[in-house]
Amino acid sequence: MKHSLVFVATTPFAVNAFLLTHLLALAKTHEVTLCVNTTTYPLAEEVARAVRVRHIDIARKISPWQDLHALFQLLRCFREIRPATVHSLTPKAGLLAMLAGWLTGVPLRFHTFTGQVWATRTGFGRSLLKGIDRLITLCASQVFADSASQCRFLEEEAVVRRGGISVLGQGSVAGVDLARFRPDPVARAALRAETGVADVEPVFLFVGRLVRDKGVFDLVEAFAALSVKHEQWELWVVGPDEEGLQAALQADGERLGARIRWFGPTLVPERYMAAADVFVLPSYREGFGSVIIEAAACGIPSIAYRIDGVIDAIVDGHTGLFVDKGNVQGISDAMNRLGAEISTRKTLGEAAHLRASNKFSSASVSSAWLDFYSSVLWGEA
């Protein structure tokens, strides 16, 4: 018997990053529908071929009329499909999907938290967004997080009851595709030749959305401090400019004399990871930091702020280095250390690769998802 499963996400960016392997695996034995705003970012072709895609006008930011329209779209979709389960990812998609699922009587309603947008907020904004997460939990049959530390955080903040949230597998939503993300000397040589960067010169890499919470201004400032002494060292920034920050970031970098390349969004982040030496993520909030595990699988260590979620992705001093949140000088010092100490970054990179391969392969995480869905759907059959 094929069950009808619906997954809801705000943008294809999240689908490509977190759901791709799970959707492909589940689509082999179930009827899978993906509800997502298809206008915001390219959806991976293999997903578009494997599942039914429904465009839903979900906005990332609060937009009452558009949000109401998206809710009605989901209500119509769920009434038409009558799915056995609906599973949401990302905050806005979670709110709309869990409400629509509850209103239409979808038997099993799941949501996965991947970091809290309110974690860095204060005042009314924090209370409002936190209240939305509580509403998601109330409307859901079961909720998950992508790391153990995120579970603890959500319990401590009373978003979920004690013991009311869990992690599928070892952590992370997607794990890492070891066939894609791996040390690749050929790809490294090709991109280094294309950019004209000598193999001996360290390249620091950021991959992610250009948003303030990712610490992108901290990153530019920290790297600029290194450029005074190390003019040939480079920082590569890869990712979509979702908040329109790139112009200001570029201006800061140029004013400070930093050697930064801006590559924009990509569907092949592994190409840049294979060519880089150190991954840097000075994020102020993360669910897990899956991109850190992807970089680790490519054999490069990471530098990051010590925050919930990321503390599950890096073993300090073994697969990367932690810096206290907001310590820009600390990020700069850590970058200086790994840029200069080739043997240290090689040792950390090898350990990171081994840990990513052993604990966070996409195959193992997808297996945990498949086991979970088999258990709940068998119980519903």
Side-chain angles (χ1 to χ4, degrees):
M1 174 184 177
K2 281 193 171 185
H3 290 87
S4 179
L5 316 180
V6 173
F7 288 82
V8 186
T10 305
T11 73
F13 184 84
V15 175
N16 297 341
F18 301 126
L19 291 178
L20 189 151
T21 56
H22 309 326
L23 294 178
L24 297 181
L26 288 165
K28 293 177 181 178
T29 52
H30 301 287
E31 297 289 344
V32 178
T33 298
L34 171 66
C35 295
V36 67
N37 189 331
T38 58
T39 65
T40 58
Y41 195 82
L43 180 65
E45 290 184 5
E46 54 264 54
V47 172
R49 289 194 299 265
V51 309
R52 180 167 51 177
V53 180
R54 295 279 291 260
H55 170 73
I56 305 293
D57 291 321
I58 306 177
R60 282 188 59 86
K61 295 183 179 181
I62 294 175
S63 177
W65 288 113
Q66 188 173 350
D67 294 343
L68 187 61
H69 177 60
L71 177 61
F72 283 129
Q73 287 180 304
L74 288 172
L75 288 169
R76 285 195 298 270
C77 177
F78 294 174
R79 288 189 181 116
E80 174 190 327
I81 296 174
R82 300 182 67 83
T85 72
V86 57
H87 196 146
S88 57
L89 193 75
T90 68
K92 179 66 75 64
L95 173 64
L96 298 176
M98 292 301 99
L99 275 173
W102 179 73
L103 289 170
T104 55
V106 176
L108 298 170
R109 304 174 303 279
F110 310 128
H111 177 73
T112 298
F113 289 105
T114 58
Q116 288 64 55
V117 295
W118 46 266
T120 56
R121 305 288 182 88
T122 58
F124 176 74
R126 178 184 175 92
S127 298
L128 174 63
L129 295 171
K130 191 173 176 181
I132 289 173
D133 279 355
R134 286 196 179 114
L135 181 57
I136 290 172
T137 300
L138 288 172
C139 292
S141 306
Q142 191 167 350
V143 293
F144 304 94
D146 53 359
S147 69
S149 58
Q150 283 296 301
C151 290
R152 291 193 299 270
F153 176 72
L154 289 167
E155 289 174 345
E156 290 167 359
E157 292 289 332
V159 172
V160 300
R161 60 178 174 78
R162 294 283 177 180
I165 189 169
S166 57
V167 176
L168 290 172
Q170 297 275 355
S172 94
V173 178
V176 58
D177 183 347
L178 299 178
R180 284 182 62 196
F181 296 90
R182 57 186 175 83
D184 189 341
V186 175
R188 177 185 175 90
L191 189 51
R192 290 277 182 145
E194 182 182 318
T195 55
V197 179
D199 189 66
V200 296
E201 297 296 342
V203 169
F204 299 89
L205 176 68
F206 170 92
V207 177
R209 296 177 294 114
L210 299 190
V211 296
R212 288 186 182 275
D213 281 354
K214 294 289 184 183
V216 287
F217 284 96
D218 290 8
L219 176 62
V220 168
E221 182 182 346
F223 181 71
L226 298 181
S227 299
V228 177
K229 293 184 178 180
H230 305 286
E231 295 181 358
Q232 300 306 310
W233 292 13
E234 292 205 1
L235 169 64
W236 293 356
V237 179
V238 179
D241 184 16
E242 291 193 353
E243 292 185 353
L245 302 178
Q246 184 169 324
L249 289 165
Q250 282 184 281
D252 281 355
E254 291 169 4
R255 176 174 55 82
L256 296 169
R259 195 180 179 94
I260 304 175
R261 295 180 192 258
W262 306 85
F263 290 92
T266 182
L267 293 176
V268 286
E270 65 273 18
R271 181 169 180 254
Y272 300 93
M273 292 174 179
D277 298 291
V278 180
F279 189 79
V280 190
L281 185 70
S283 183
Y284 281 75
R285 63 172 182 87
E286 289 289 332
F288 175 75
S290 295
V291 70
I292 289 172
I293 296 300
E294 292 172 346
C298 292
I300 62 174
S302 293
I303 297 169
Y305 283 149
R306 185 183 286 103
I307 59 172
D308 284 329
V310 174
I311 60 175
D312 299 300
I314 296 174
V315 179
D316 193 24
H318 181 63
T319 67
L321 301 176
F322 276 131
V323 175
D324 289 339
K325 184 170 68 175
N327 185 355
V328 177
Q329 184 59 52
I331 291 288
S332 186
D333 290 343
M335 294 171 76
N336 185 61
R337 177 186 172 189
L338 294 190
E341 297 179 8
I342 299 175
S343 61
T344 300
R345 72 172 184 256
K346 181 180 178 182
T347 299
L348 294 178
E350 289 173 348
H353 173 71
L354 184 63
R355 183 170 184 262
S357 301
N358 289 343
K359 297 189 67 175
F360 299 107
S361 72
S362 57
S364 65
V365 178
S366 284
S367 178
W369 277 61
L370 288 172
D371 288 346
F372 168 74
Y373 268 92
S374 294
S375 67
V376 296
L377 292 173
W378 180 84
E380 286 289 304

